[in-house]
Amino acid sequence: MFDLAIVGGGPAGAAAAVYAARKHLKSILVTESFGGQSTESADVQNWIGTKHISGAELARALEEHAREYAGEFLDIRPRVRVSKVEKRDEGFVLFDATGKEVGTSHAVLIATGGTRRTLDVPGATEFENKGLTYCASCDGPLFSGQDTVVVGGGNAGFETAAQLLAYARSVTLVHRGADFSKADARTVETVCAHENMTALLNTEPVEVKGGAFVEGVVVKDKTTGKTRTIPAAGVFVEIGMIPSTELVKGVVELDAIGRIKVDCRNQRASIPGVWAAGDCTDGLYHQNNIAAGDAVKALEDIYFFLRAAK
């Protein structure tokens, strides 16, 4: 029986594995793959300590760092998807997609992240990573001095617009709803007051166009039915995320969109023995560095939880 089971191989899972091994907690790391969502990024510029790194290189670095500690205190199980976590009197049991038991542990850290909702219009798939992106923090600076479009009118959309306004020539935010009620009112007011900002309501993208790279977005006015093309070199999609939390549904408390509710002070979930870190949680902000920090914070708490229980 392990002290700790870590589920997920992104920045949170890898950080947790390193810290758990260094604290001599007998741990198991189970993950389908390493790297998390950033594996799709051609150039990650905000991973602290590294000026430039591709998503693929970041994934390799995370795996190599975790494997450096594999051995007596860390068992790594790659290419395994945990489909269910079950609470039992003696601890927790992990099951894979076939229903086979993967391992048992006294504590569990869920670091499974999530998947971004993708834009489902012609051209979106073809131009992904060729001007269309799902991460402004990763790719935004690449569009300095250029025209950009943000799809999505929630807080994430306006936060992305605020980032882009620092260096883009223009930002046009496209929202299919009739108002911006899903976003913080003060943020909306501040962002919309910028001279290079345009916010469109009742408007939806219907096509992404370009040659080798994105050149514009065709949008439709839902009121009139008319379409027009907005010139843009960069398209930033912020239409929500689907958290990967089915494995703990019914075990811990989830919010309205399925994210694990945690205490932000220590990353504890709603029942003793379960922690969560990164994009699968209801934390206010989600980035690679934040996910890794969440995991480190959780490990400090897990260590004292396990040692106090012995």
Side-chain angles (χ1 to χ4, degrees), residues 82-83 211 237:
V82 176
S83 62
V237 182

Side-chain angles (χ1 to χ4, degrees), residues 241-284:
M241 179 180 291
I242 303 171
S244 300
T245 55
E246 279 294 318
L247 72 167
V248 290
K249 191 173 183 179
V251 178
V252 297
E253 188 176 356
L254 307 178
D255 69 7
I257 58 175
R259 300 175 303 184
I260 300 170
K261 290 187 175 183
V262 296
D263 183 336
C264 63
R265 299 172 302 172
N266 50 31
Q267 301 303 123
R268 291 192 182 195
S270 57
I271 66 169
V274 181
W275 287 256
D279 290 5
C280 64
T281 74
D282 64 345
L284 187 57

Side-chain angles (χ1 to χ4, degrees), residues 195-234:
E195 61 181 354
N196 296 331
M197 176 71 187
T198 301
L200 303 176
L201 290 168
N202 293 310
T203 304
E204 60 185 5
V206 294
E207 185 179 3
V208 180
K209 301 178 70 175
F213 297 94
V214 169
E215 295 175 2
V217 181
V218 181
V219 299
K220 177 182 177 181
D221 186 313
K222 294 175 63 182
T223 303
T224 66
K226 294 182 177 180
T227 62
R228 65 186 178 95
T229 300
I230 302 174

